[in-house]
Amino acid sequence: MSNSSNFSFEFFPPKTAEGKVKLRATWQQLAQLKPLFFSVTFGAGGSTQQGTLDTVLEIRGAGQNAAPHISCVASSKTEITETLSRYRDKGIRHIVALRGDMPSGLASSGELRYANELVAFIRETTGDWFQIEVACYPEYHPQTRNPADELKNFKRKIDAGANSAITQYFYNPDAYFRFVDECAAAGISVPIVPGIMPIGNFLPTGPIFGCLRRGDSALDANQAGRLSR
């Protein structure tokens, strides 16, 4: 693979000893491609907090760059501050800041409701210590009313202090290029990296396909139908 383009890989933290062994073999193999960094997801309310940190530290210990995620949904400012302190104490300077998904059964979304509020809080409490990545949505978030509102939401994250962004995965490249052009027109100049999820096992009647057809994800019905063919 050419090194002319920068890229990264994202992992879920393993939940079992067997999972840890499999993930270690995976990132060690992928490290041969010389990614810019690896990132590790963070469960809502910090549900995978220790697993996230342990995985990041293991990858960093092997000389690779790794960035933990942090989310604000269902978390207090105190809990977020404690997580940031743990990251900082370990010398971590690169994070991915997200709102996160609300766990089922919880009535409160936490003290910070949106990712832009989380980014602002990170800057208020840690200054410029962290390089902050955020998410953006070329085909707009399911809870956003229209593309114009999506662009406004993204700009709030950048104005709050985010350094760069990784998109939600998509299968329509035109949507990505259109979104990048719209961001430039809106004065957003940070790097916007396309998020890619390879299709390893496509089942046109499976639950994920059904979700895509309902418009709850990055594909609309036309795109989902195109993939099924």
Side-chain angles (χ1 to χ4, degrees):
M1 178 176 291
S2 171
N3 290 326
S4 60
S5 298
N6 292 325
F7 58 94
S8 65
F9 294 106
E10 178 179 294
F11 301 127
F12 297 103
K15 296 181 179 180
T16 65
E18 181 183 6
K20 290 181 180 179
V21 172
K22 289 182 177 180
L23 179 58
R24 182 178 299 118
T26 298
W27 69 253
Q28 287 176 341
Q29 182 176 13
L30 292 174
Q32 298 176 35
L33 301 176
K34 302 187 184 306
L36 192 62
F37 65 94
F38 296 97
S39 69
V40 184
T41 63
F42 184 92
S47 57
T48 67
Q49 184 178 129
Q50 191 58 49
T52 298
L53 182 58
D54 288 346
T55 303
V56 165
L57 292 179
E58 178 179 311
I59 295 172
R60 282 167 53 87
Q64 302 292 325
N65 295 320
H69 289 210
I70 183 170
S71 65
C72 60
V73 71
S75 295
S76 67
K77 289 183 179 180
T78 298
E79 290 169 330
I80 294 169
T81 299
E82 290 173 351
T83 299
L84 292 170
S85 295
R86 280 193 288 271
Y87 290 169
R88 190 167 182 170
D89 289 345
K90 297 298 184 180
I92 295 169
R93 305 201 64 160
H94 186 186
I95 58 176
V96 181
L98 309 165
R99 185 195 71 170
D101 297 321
M102 175 70 74
S104 60
L106 288 186
S108 173
S109 61
E111 293 184 70
L112 303 175
R113 298 178 300 165
Y114 303 109
N116 66 291
E117 296 176 357
L118 174 60
V119 173
F121 181 73
I122 294 171
R123 289 296 181 220
E124 290 169 6
T125 55
T126 67
D128 293 330
W129 177 265
F130 291 109
Q131 175 186 340
I132 303 175
E133 307 262 5
V134 292
C136 60
Y137 302 83
E139 293 172 305
Y140 70 96
H141 193 280
Q143 296 176 1
T144 303
R145 293 177 298 180
N146 53 61
D149 283 352
E150 183 60 53
L151 188 62
K152 292 176 183 176
N153 292 339
F154 178 44
K155 193 172 189 304
R156 291 188 187 99
K157 301 177 192 180
I158 303 306
D159 291 344
N163 301 105
S164 53
I166 303 172
T167 75
Q168 169 73 329
Y169 68 86
F170 57 89
Y171 297 108
N172 178 5
D174 291 340
Y176 169 76
F177 293 119
R178 183 186 66 247
F179 181 74
V180 171
D181 288 342
E182 291 172 348
C183 287
I188 299 172
S189 59
V190 302
I192 301 174
V193 179
I196 299 171
M197 179 180 286
I199 302 174
N201 185 16
F202 183 74
L203 299 175
T205 59
I208 294 179
F209 184 82
C211 174
L212 299 179
R213 276 207 175 274
R214 290 196 303 272
D216 296 333
S217 188
L219 295 178
D220 60 25
N222 291 331
Q223 296 162 34
R226 190 186 313 148
L227 281 177
S228 70
R229 296 192 293 272

